[in-house]
Amino acid sequence: MRVGYFQFDVVRGNSDANLAIIESALAGTSADLVVLPELSTTGYLFESPEALAKIAEPLDGPSVRRFSALAKENETTLVFGVAERDGNELFNTAVIATPQGAVQSQRKRHLTKLEQPLFSTGSPVAAHRVPEATIGAVMCFDAWFPERCRILTQGGAQILCGPSNFGGPDSLDVFRVRALENRVFVVVANRIGQEQLGSVEATFRGDSRVIGPDGAVLLQADGGQELGLIDIDLSKASIKASVMSNDLAAEWSRYQIVEHPPGDPDLAF
Amino acid sequence: MRVGYFQFDVVRGNSDANLAIIESALAGTSADLVVLPELSTTGYLFESPEALAKIAEPLDGPSVRRFSALAKENETTLVFGVAERDGNELFNTAVIATPQGAVQSQRKRHLTKLEQPLFSTGSPVAAHRVPEATIGAVMCFDAWFPERCRILTQGGAQILCGPSNFGGPDSLDVFRVRALENRVFVVVANRIGQEQLGSVEATFRGDSRVIGPDGAVLLQADGGQELGLIDIDLSKASIKASVMSNDLAAEWSRYQIVEHPPGDPDLAF
């Protein structure tokens, strides 16, 4: 199975420009799964939900339709971040578009300080079946919550896909440890470039990567625009043994994790 | 609060020799909390439970009594690993001895391949109150299970103490990510030296460290015998905000984790 990432500098507020960059970079490539950055059509910093709502689209809008057409044309599953408009609410959403035209989605649950004023909280996480694998979408800060990645692994995910917009180095270690502790592949696609909004400046580090179930960094981008693809042996994600243990899955099955939906009155446990 | 680690080369099968090394190294030191390696009195590789049982002791045996006396004498809380004998069972146990003479314990839950033939599976994890802080014991491979560290953090632990016997580098990243994702201090005490048993060779890397709630490595040993102590500001473990989020604790409270005791029939969920 051939998987990878495309990292680029997202043009804020211009979906057409970003889709053109993506379509041009992916034209003629052969891959089973390509992960793109978080908010890859809109950019990251917006002064208000109203400002973001002007460019956010529903999942049946023109941007997702273009991604879906690209997935069909290239016979590739694409995982990419968009600003999703659903009625009066906005979500920071990972979309999974398969070559067969299926469109699935996972709304980001854990919003950063900068995202909380713009987006509503996403829903519980679930694994998604695509043609070659079972995958999970773990967008950027969502990866900092190990419970989320464990739920996906227990749900059969073999590859955790991380559309991301991070600047600091810690998220790289976090993603690597998620691979190690769950014995799954991780594909991180982190954007590059910089955005400014008033006094707030956000710099994105790139450093996209493909990580193996033993934590080995199999492929790694630097800080420029880059499409990275690599052949992986997906069966390795089924081997839950490690140097230390015969069966990590038996060990982690000692814990039961329940994710409560937003607004769940049972949350006060 | 002054905390740290003591790493040394454990003499296999000779509790007296190991206790003498520890007593000599800690004599006259001033610290609130010192963490020592896993199985710090017995060593690691034994050919059978019967062979290990000859040196394993109950928690009211002479070795723990000597540790307890040392804790009183130095006015230090000690966290150290022993091979615990309880009737016909052996446990890989972390003991917490306070200056007031209290002895608490936490049996290791997740046993490695080499440990499974020797030890019984430990019980669910819980935080422990010591004079200066609330701490949790997370021995070596137990740290690979993020659920365990989260349960401790939600139970009030401000410092995760990791008596360890590891060789590879991955456990260092695992412990650092536990600090980061829980916003707690982590003190890892990893032994040095080498053991051989038939064709099995185990090399221990040292590299003990004190890690801050922001993931910063505050103090770090190399591969030799070393006592490392550092003053920390424990109040930092109460700040659950990060660069990315105002309140990580609110985010992780979305997940409920239940640890099932060994043999729990409810395990088949």
Side-chain angles (χ1 to χ4, degrees):
Chain A
M1 182 176 181
R2 197 159 176 75
V3 306
Y5 47 77
F6 175 57
Q7 69 177 32
F8 68 105
D9 188 357
V10 180
V11 183
R12 184 169 50 187
N14 192 337
S15 303
D16 280 338
N18 294 314
L19 279 157
I21 293 169
I22 293 164
E23 286 161 348
S24 161
L26 297 193
T29 60
S30 168
D32 299 298
L33 174 72
V34 180
V35 183
L36 297 145
E38 181 178 12
L39 295 171
S40 61
T41 53
T42 59
Y44 191 66
L45 295 178
F46 289 85
E47 61 185 12
S48 66
E50 292 72 28
L52 176 57
K54 288 179 191 158
I55 186 173
E57 299 175 26
L59 292 187
D60 58 0
S63 290
V64 172
R65 284 209 304 274
R66 266 173 84 172
F67 274 114
S68 188
L70 186 62
K72 280 185 206 172
E73 198 177 297
N74 282 6
E75 296 179 9
T76 305
T77 294
L78 297 176
V79 180
F80 51 95
V82 297
E84 176 193 356
R85 185 156 43 79
D86 182 4
N88 289 322
E89 285 188 294
L90 299 172
F91 295 92
N92 185 348
T93 300
V95 180
I96 299 131
T98 71
Q100 288 75 31
V103 171
Q104 307 170 69
S105 67
Q106 176 70 58
R107 291 165 170 175
K108 190 177 186 179
R109 180 76 193 253
H110 302 288
L111 302 167
T112 67
K113 280 192 248 203
L114 295 171
E115 298 161 27
Q116 284 175 2
L118 302 174
F119 297 105
S120 298
T121 302
S123 39
V125 73
H128 296 275
R129 184 70 209 165
V130 299
E132 306 278 338
T134 302
I135 67 171
V138 186
M139 274 216 290
C140 204
F141 192 40
D142 272 2
W144 282 62
F145 300 87
E147 296 91 340
R148 205 159 182 85
C149 297
R150 188 73 99 207
I151 290 170
L152 285 170
T153 303
Q154 290 180 327
Q158 297 155 300
I159 307 173
L160 302 181
C161 302
S164 295
N165 274 0
F166 58 80
D170 287 336
S171 291
L172 296 172
D173 279 353
V174 168
F175 272 113
R176 198 178 84 83
V177 168
R178 297 297 169 249
L180 267 175
E181 69 198 9
N182 292 297
R183 315 313 285 188
V184 292
F185 289 91
V186 171
V187 182
V188 182
N190 189 37
R191 67 163 285 192
I192 58 172
Q194 210 170 39
E195 285 188 27
Q196 185 127 20
L197 183 76
S199 61
V200 178
E201 193 181 88
T203 302
F204 308 101
R205 69 182 296 119
D207 268 344
S208 299
R209 51 194 61 187
V210 178
I211 306 166
D214 60 352
V217 178
L218 305 174
L219 187 68
Q220 183 171 355
D222 61 17
Q225 178 172 317
E226 190 176 326
L227 172 70
L229 297 173
I230 190 169
D231 290 314
I232 61 167
D233 175 1
L234 191 65
S235 71
K236 288 189 177 165
S238 305
I239 303 165
K240 298 304 184 189
S242 73
V243 173
M244 287 196 277
S245 172
N246 294 310
D247 190 354
L248 276 98
E251 298 297 328
W252 72 56
S253 73
R254 302 284 169 185
Y255 306 93
Q256 182 178 17
I257 305 176
V258 177
E259 182 180 1
H260 291 264
D264 185 343
D266 287 344
L267 194 56
F269 43 76
Chain B
M1 181 176 183
R2 197 160 176 75
V3 306
Y5 48 77
F6 175 57
Q7 70 177 33
F8 69 105
D9 188 358
V10 180
V11 183
R12 184 169 50 187
N14 193 335
S15 303
D16 279 339
N18 293 314
L19 280 156
I21 293 169
I22 294 164
E23 286 163 348
S24 161
L26 297 192
T29 60
S30 167
D32 299 298
L33 174 72
V34 180
V35 183
L36 297 144
E38 181 179 12
L39 295 171
S40 60
T41 53
T42 60
Y44 190 66
L45 295 178
F46 290 86
E47 60 184 14
S48 65
E50 293 71 27
L52 177 57
K54 289 179 190 157
I55 186 175
E57 298 175 25
L59 292 188
D60 58 0
S63 290
V64 173
R65 283 209 305 274
R66 266 173 84 172
F67 274 114
S68 188
L70 186 62
K72 278 185 204 171
E73 198 177 296
N74 283 5
E75 297 180 7
T76 305
T77 294
L78 297 176
V79 180
F80 52 94
V82 297
E84 177 193 354
R85 184 158 43 78
D86 183 3
N88 289 322
E89 286 189 294
L90 299 172
F91 295 93
N92 185 347
T93 300
V95 180
I96 299 131
T98 70
Q100 289 75 32
V103 171
Q104 306 171 69
S105 67
Q106 175 71 58
R107 292 166 169 175
K108 191 178 186 178
R109 180 77 194 254
H110 302 288
L111 302 168
T112 68
K113 280 192 249 203
L114 295 170
E115 298 161 26
Q116 284 176 3
L118 303 174
F119 297 105
S120 298
T121 303
S123 39
V125 72
H128 297 274
R129 183 71 208 165
V130 300
E132 306 278 339
T134 301
I135 67 171
V138 186
M139 273 215 291
C140 205
F141 192 40
D142 272 1
W144 281 61
F145 300 86
E147 296 91 341
R148 205 157 183 87
C149 296
R150 188 73 98 206
I151 290 170
L152 286 170
T153 303
Q154 289 180 328
Q158 297 156 301
I159 307 173
L160 301 182
C161 302
S164 294
N165 274 1
F166 59 81
D170 287 337
S171 291
L172 296 171
D173 279 353
V174 168
F175 273 113
R176 197 179 85 82
V177 168
R178 298 298 170 248
L180 267 175
E181 68 197 9
N182 291 298
R183 316 311 286 186
V184 293
F185 289 91
V186 171
V187 182
V188 182
N190 189 39
R191 67 164 284 194
I192 58 172
Q194 211 169 37
E195 285 188 26
Q196 185 127 21
L197 183 75
S199 62
V200 178
E201 193 181 89
T203 302
F204 308 101
R205 70 181 296 118
D207 268 344
S208 299
R209 49 194 60 186
V210 177
I211 305 166
D214 61 352
V217 178
L218 305 174
L219 188 67
Q220 183 171 354
D222 61 16
Q225 178 171 319
E226 189 176 326
L227 172 70
L229 297 173
I230 190 170
D231 290 315
I232 61 167
D233 175 1
L234 191 65
S235 71
K236 287 189 178 164
S238 307
I239 302 166
K240 298 303 184 189
S242 73
V243 173
M244 288 196 278
S245 172
N246 294 310
D247 189 355
L248 275 99
E251 299 295 330
W252 73 56
S253 73
R254 302 284 169 183
Y255 305 92
Q256 181 179 17
I257 305 176
V258 177
E259 182 179 1
H260 292 263
D264 185 341
D266 287 343
L267 194 56
F269 42 77

